[in-house]
């Protein structure tokens, strides 16, 4: 979908570089309007982790690698926790539906729309994404790096990425948004879905495993305090990277 020049399978410079174009701009605008700023930073970080994972797997030059679609899938993957979601299905599915509507409205080919829908719908489902297309696989892996999976693969770049897009208690805010969406109807949090499990944990313990769990703010080299300490730290909700 993009004419972006092919990237090397090793990233030396431009770790914070983002793709450009109408899809990127529309994805950022839609996510910015839907989710908490910390969750939006999480979505942006997911793209960076996905790209770094792709570099690790040496697929940046693969014919199926599309940086704009990878960006869209990551940035839009929590859209269903926002105000435009109907609250009738799992947030993952409603995120995928909203993303598909956005891409369709921009004139994206149906095949690209389907790829992004699949990647978002399955982003909380383990083991299946790796059996599907490259976009679904990379999106899943990138999102879960932000919760600690394969974090060692991004150890060299994580400080720079977190410095630009700090965590800002993301796990708490994301849990709140997922729980709020799940509470809208029984079908929004069916048994065995993520929202269902989080609601059970919150009811039993007052906190979800997502919140004090893997890669809490302080687990990334103390970067939790950067947002308050450095006026130059960016929150993508206000000033996306150029």
């Amino acid at each position: 979908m993009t004419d972006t020049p092919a990237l090397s399978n090793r990233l030396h410079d431009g770790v914070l570089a983002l793709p450009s174009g109408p899809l990127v701009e529309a994805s950022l605008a839609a996510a910015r309007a839907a989710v908490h700023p910390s969750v939006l930073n999480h979505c942006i970080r997911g793209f960076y982790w996905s790209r770094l994972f792709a570099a690790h797997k040496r697929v940046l030059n693969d014919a199926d690698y599309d940086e704009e679609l990878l960006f869209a899938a990551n940035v839009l993957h929590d859209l269903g926790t926002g105000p435009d979601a109907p609250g009738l299905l799992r947030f993952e599915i409603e995120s995928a539906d909203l993303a598909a509507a956005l891409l369709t409205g921009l004139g994206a080919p149906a095949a690209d729309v389907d790829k992004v829908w699949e990647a978002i719908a399955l982003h909380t489902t383990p083991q299946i994404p790796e059996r599907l297309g490259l976009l679904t696989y990379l999106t899943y892996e990138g999102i879960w790096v932000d919760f600690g999976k394969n974090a060692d693969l991004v150890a060299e770049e994580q400080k720079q990425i977190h410095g630009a897009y700090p965590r800002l208690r993301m796990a708490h805010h994301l849990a709140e948004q997922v729980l709020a969406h799940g509470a809208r109807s029984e079908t929004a949090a069916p048994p065995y879905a993520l929202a269902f499990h989080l609601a059970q944990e919150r009811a039993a313990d007052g906190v979800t495993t997502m919140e004090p769990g893997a890669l809490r703010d302080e687990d990334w080299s103390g970067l939790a305090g950067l947002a308050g300490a450095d006026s130059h730290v960016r929150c993508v909700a206000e000033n996306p990277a150029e």
Side-chain angles (χ1 to χ4, degrees):
M1 173 159 191
T2 175
D3 294 327
T4 302
L7 297 174
S8 167
N9 273 315
R10 297 186 65 191
L11 297 174
H12 296 285
D13 301 311
V15 170
L16 294 178
L18 294 176
S20 61
L23 176 56
V24 171
E25 295 172 5
S27 297
L28 278 173
R32 186 180 296 116
V35 302
H36 189 275
S38 67
V39 178
L40 186 52
N41 279 3
H42 154 67
C43 296
I44 293 288
R45 290 195 305 271
F47 164 73
Y48 289 130
W49 309 143
S50 292
R51 185 166 63 185
L52 290 165
F53 186 80
H56 173 73
K57 291 293 184 179
R58 303 190 63 82
V59 296
L60 287 176
N61 295 324
D62 193 284
D64 290 335
Y65 179 81
D66 189 305
E67 192 130 303
E68 284 189 47
L69 295 184
L70 186 64
F71 184 85
N74 273 281
V75 170
L76 300 174
H77 80 265
D78 286 325
L79 211 58
T81 64
D84 292 333
L88 299 176
L89 299 171
R90 292 167 49 187
F91 86 93
E92 300 96 330
I93 296 175
E94 293 193 348
S95 295
D97 287 345
L98 289 167
L102 177 66
L103 268 69
T104 299
L106 291 171
D112 288 348
V113 175
D114 289 345
K115 288 177 183 178
V116 171
W117 189 96
E118 178 184 277
I120 294 175
L122 293 173
H123 82 266
T124 65
T125 304
Q127 300 179 352
I128 294 177
E130 63 203 59
R131 302 289 189 94
L132 298 175
L134 183 61
L135 180 65
T136 299
Y137 177 42
L138 294 178
T139 300
Y140 174 85
E141 293 294 340
I143 290 168
W144 286 97
V145 166
D146 214 44
F147 291 97
K149 182 182 181 184
N150 293 320
D152 58 307
L153 299 182
V154 300
E156 198 173 312
E157 299 86 2
Q158 68 88 8
K159 186 172 183 179
Q160 185 178 1
I161 291 170
H162 276 115
Y165 301 97
R167 299 185 73 81
L168 306 175
R169 299 184 67 227
M170 173 276 296
H172 170 74
H173 294 297
L174 179 57
E176 289 293 318
Q177 288 195 262
V178 171
L179 286 166
H181 179 271
R184 294 174 64 183
S185 69
E186 289 187 6
T187 51
Y192 309 112
L194 175 62
F196 179 84
H197 283 295
L198 293 180
Q200 286 190 317
E201 291 169 353
R202 179 66 67 83
D205 304 321
V207 66
T208 70
T209 53
M210 179 185 291
E211 293 164 272
L215 293 195
R216 293 171 294 181
D217 291 346
E218 62 268 29
D219 290 335
W220 287 86
S221 303
L223 287 169
L226 280 179
D230 185 350
S231 62
H232 297 292
V233 169
R234 290 169 295 169
C235 174
V236 70
E238 298 176 355
N239 184 23
E242 308 202 349

